[in-house]
Amino acid sequence: MNVAKVEAGGVDIAVVSSSEVLIGDVQSALDFIATVRYETDCDRIVLNQSNVSDSFFDLKTRLAGEVLQKFINYQVKLALVGDFSVYTSQSLKDFIYECNHGNDFLFMPTEQQAIEKLSTLK
């Protein structure tokens, strides 16, 4: 896992890249949060969609909700970057829509858009 720290709008944001799945279950999400916060002292993170288990995007597994709750509990904001149009579930589309209108968890098409959006959140 590689972590780069960028500054945007006076806010530090961790941009994480990896060739492997970093969030596959609730425990790996907690480990991810702890590692990134320890290494960068950032509470805003950009992560690629490919670094999250496919089961996250199947809302029946409840993984998305459980992971989202951990990020909220630890006051860490996350922007997932990728092409989410490949998922056909209306429930997932609604989940993405609601998240993108909130302040904690975002689904963005590009890394630059994710950084810009995270830098403006309260």
Side-chain angles (χ1 to χ4, degrees):
M1 174 171 81
N2 296 316
V3 183
K5 191 173 177 178
V6 299
E7 188 271 329
V11 177
D12 289 331
I13 300 170
V15 179
V16 178
S17 59
S18 178
S19 59
E20 50 192 59
V21 171
L22 300 174
I23 298 178
D25 56 24
V26 174
Q27 186 58 53
S28 61
L30 288 170
D31 294 343
F32 175 76
I33 292 168
T35 300
V36 173
R37 286 200 82 168
Y38 177 78
E39 289 183 11
T40 66
D41 198 31
C42 291
D43 62 358
R44 297 164 195 239
I45 304 170
V46 175
L47 182 65
N48 196 286
Q49 166 186 2
S50 63
N51 300 126
V52 179
S53 167
D54 285 336
S55 61
F56 177 91
F57 301 99
D58 178 3
L59 295 184
K60 290 180 202 139
T61 67
R62 304 177 69 142
L63 181 60
E66 292 174 358
V67 167
L68 173 60
Q69 191 61 53
K70 295 303 178 196
F71 277 88
I72 291 170
N73 289 350
Y74 288 94
Q75 299 176 351
V76 175
K77 298 177 186 312
L78 178 71
L80 285 178
V81 175
D83 177 11
F84 304 102
S85 67
V86 299
Y87 302 106
T88 58
S89 164
Q90 186 59 47
S91 298
L92 180 61
K93 290 177 183 179
D94 293 343
F95 177 75
I96 290 171
Y97 176 85
E98 291 298 326
C99 285
N100 284 344
H101 286 82
N103 288 313
D104 298 297
F105 213 83
L106 305 168
F107 294 83
M108 304 303 292
T110 69
E111 185 177 295
Q112 187 57 43
Q113 286 176 302
I115 291 169
E116 288 171 12
K117 182 71 174 176
L118 282 173
S119 71
T120 64
L121 294 179
K122 295 178 180 160

